[in-house]
Amino acid sequence: MFPRIREITDAFGSRLMVSVEEHPTGALIVLERPDVTGRPRVLLDGYGVDVLSGYIMSARLAVPHPLPEERVDGMFGTRFELALQPAASLGLRQGGEAPLDIPAPFWDRLYAELCLVAAHARELGRRAEARVH
């Protein structure tokens, strides 16, 4: 079943890859923009995926108004921001890495995909715990 990779595209050829990879703690969700110079990517654990899912919905409800940023800490600490100009986009930043921008046309499909990968990640986490005990 793993790794699990899905690609979201838009009408203009922009791409967002979403994958689930096994990790000693269970699973990681990887978001990557293979169509952007430098292939920015973000690694998220279950906590980060849950916050991103909520932030996507909050952004959808907030646009065209601003939304405060959100942060998750831990091994995969990430900052989530809504940019409104030149077009609505979510910016995800980890440490000193280049931000991964997710334009609004991707939000609905990414939200649905995150619901699926979160379930897979929880199951991998459950299996990892069972191996430890």
Side-chain angles (χ1 to χ4, degrees):
M1 177 185 332
F2 298 97
R4 179 188 186 277
I5 301 169
R6 298 292 185 265
E7 188 170 88
I8 301 170
T9 59
D10 71 7
F12 303 105
S14 296
R15 297 167 41 207
L16 174 65
M17 288 179 54
V18 181
S19 60
V20 179
E21 297 178 1
E22 290 189 83
H23 185 265
T25 61
L28 291 179
I29 287 68
V30 181
L31 304 177
E32 185 173 9
R33 290 292 308 269
D35 61 319
V36 174
T37 302
R39 290 183 75 114
R41 62 185 284 181
V42 170
L43 303 173
L44 299 172
D45 57 11
Y47 171 40
V49 167
D50 287 345
V51 172
L52 177 56
S53 295
Y55 200 76
I56 290 169
M57 187 56 65
S58 294
R60 288 191 84 248
L61 296 170
V63 169
H65 304 289
L67 182 67
E69 72 176 34
E70 286 287 336
R71 292 177 186 256
V72 297
D73 58 6
M75 186 180 293
F76 303 100
T78 308
R79 184 177 72 195
F80 306 95
E81 298 179 281
L82 172 63
L84 297 171
Q85 296 297 326
S89 179
L90 297 181
L92 284 62
R93 183 180 297 273
Q94 290 184 318
E97 298 295 322
L100 180 126
D101 292 320
I102 304 171
F106 287 129
W107 295 354
D108 289 347
R109 291 183 59 202
L110 176 58
Y111 179 85
E113 191 63 30
L114 290 174
C115 290
L116 294 169
V117 298
H120 288 303
R122 280 191 301 274
E123 176 59 14
L124 286 173
R126 187 191 65 74
R127 290 178 188 178
E129 285 180 16
R131 284 191 303 268
V132 171
H133 297 298

